[in-house]
Every structure is written in C-alpha cells, then in structure tokens.
Amino acid sequence: LHSFPTRRSSDLYIQITDAHELQSLKTPQSKRRVPIHPKLKELGFMQLIEKQRRHSKNGFLFDTLRYHRKNKFGNMMSNAFRYYMRQDLKIKDPKKVFHSFRHTVKPRLRDAGVSAEFVDILCGWEGNGSTGTQSYGHRDTVPLPKLHRLISRLKYPELEPTFMVLKQKRDLRERNILIRMRDKRMSKRT
C-alpha cells in the first residue's frame, strides 16, 4: 500500500488505486475504498499505521516488501504471510494461503446479509449485472459509513483463538515497552 489509509468522515479506509508508479490494478473495478475492519483496529493495525507514517523508508505501509517486475509486491506478501502462519501461528496446512482470505470473503459477507452488489464493490469484482454500481452511479459514491457497516459484518469466528493470542502478544509487547520506558526514567533519576 502506497500512502496510508485515509480518513473521510469518521471511517478510516484503504484506497486501492494505481496512482503510484509501482501500483497496478487487475481491472478498473479493482479501484476502490475498503474500510478498515474493526477486528484489525482491535488487533493494533492503527498503531502499525501510525508507526509506519513516522518511520516508513519509502512511503509504503509495508515498507519491507520488495517490488518484483513480474509479481509486483504480491509474491513477497504471500511469502511473508506463509512464514507468519507457520512460525507464529503454527498453521502448516498448505491450502491456507494469503489468497484464502479473498476466497472466503464472498460467502462470509453473503451469509452475513450483504448483498452481491456490495460484496462486489468491497472486493473489487465486476459482478454480473450488479446493481450496486447502477444504484450509486460509481463505486466512489457509496457512502463510507455504509461500506464500514457492511465490512463490519465480516466474521471469522474460528480465528477468535488466534486473535486472542495476537492480542496477548501485542499487550505483552506494549507492557514491556512501558516497563523499559519506566526503567529508563528511573535510571536517569539515580
């Protein structure tokens, strides 16, 4: 992601675009705004964004990914995700890959009552006869609060134990940082 999530009204979102020279879109429908899911906020994504705003070496949110002419950034992202799944989460199923999330979004949103046209808008799919773009004229005119409400319906209950582990790790990291800061202040006083 080049540039950082944008705030319009009270909803923070990621703009998927081809505005940067290293970005490209598969189809015109791929250009879209995707609100940041509340679970990502809960897990510390907002803190990552703020940290990267201050320290990114190249203006990208995930600034350690390398660009490859053929695979763009996708290959590096997939490899990093595979490593994380195996090392941190201990998930070794070869069928569980980064793209798996994309394949589960459509049925999960549909099961949560999100209409096909809005699934297409959120996921950047053209859709066959989708009325979402017909109703709004253009994907960019769909109100962000509506998109936020819709993306918030996306649930992965089977990942809740993993989310708990991630939250515990984040909380422990934050606690350790606070302890180090306190100890540093204490050592300066003595």
Side-chain angles (χ1 to χ4, degrees):
L1 295 172
H2 186 264
S3 74
F4 292 91
T6 306
R7 184 178 297 278
R8 191 178 296 164
S9 71
S10 62
D11 299 312
L12 201 62
Y13 65 95
I14 295 172
Q15 178 78 40
I16 298 176
T17 182
D18 58 357
H20 187 273
E21 65 183 284
L22 297 180
Q23 294 173 304
S24 63
L25 298 171
K26 199 172 185 178
T27 67
Q29 292 76 25
S30 299
K31 183 179 181 182
R32 63 195 183 278
R33 298 165 302 156
V34 182
I36 296 175
H37 193 282
K39 183 59 79 173
L40 290 174
K41 293 176 184 177
E42 182 184 321
L43 293 171
F45 191 63
M46 306 312 291
Q47 290 86 344
L48 170 69
I49 290 169
E50 288 310 311
K51 177 183 164 203
Q52 288 300 95
R53 269 190 219 272
R54 292 189 304 275
H55 302 293
S56 177
K57 299 171 196 126
N58 57 12
F60 284 88
L61 180 57
F62 303 107
D63 65 345
T64 57
L65 296 177
R66 290 191 192 93
Y67 180 82
H68 186 274
R69 199 168 8 124
K70 181 181 176 197
N71 297 319
K72 316 284 190 264
F73 292 104
N75 202 36
M76 285 286 295
M77 188 65 131
S78 293
N79 290 339
F81 185 76
R82 187 179 318 106
Y83 179 84
Y84 172 72
M85 291 275 290
R86 289 182 181 154
Q87 299 301 313
D88 288 359
L89 302 179
K90 310 298 183 208
I91 297 172
K92 307 210 187 287
D93 183 347
K95 293 180 182 178
K96 305 287 185 207
V97 296
F98 187 69
H99 212 69
S100 299
F101 285 112
R102 187 164 168 82
H103 291 290
T104 62
V105 166
K106 193 170 200 168
R108 297 286 173 115
L109 285 172
R110 182 194 60 227
D111 292 348
V114 178
S115 64
E117 60 264 13
F118 286 108
V119 171
D120 291 342
I121 288 170
L122 286 166
C123 296
W125 293 316
E126 182 175 0
N128 296 327
S130 170
T131 58
T133 52
Q134 294 169 5
S135 300
Y136 284 94
H138 194 272
R139 293 165 184 264
D140 287 342
T141 62
V142 178
L144 279 168
K146 180 175 186 72
L147 293 176
H148 188 267
R149 282 192 306 277
L150 295 172
I151 199 78
S152 296
R153 293 183 187 177
L154 183 62
K155 306 283 188 234
Y156 287 90
E158 68 277 16
L159 292 178
E160 282 303 319
T162 301
F163 294 150
M164 289 301 296
V165 169
L166 291 173
K167 280 178 62 176
Q168 289 169 350
K169 285 182 177 183
R170 187 198 71 211
D171 293 346
L172 183 60
R173 260 192 321 271
E174 288 175 2
R175 187 175 146 264
N176 288 337
I177 289 169
L178 291 173
I179 289 171
R180 282 195 302 271
M181 289 170 58
R182 182 200 66 202
D183 291 347
K184 196 174 188 179
R185 282 194 309 268
M186 297 288 279
S187 68
K188 286 181 179 180
R189 289 181 187 166
T190 57

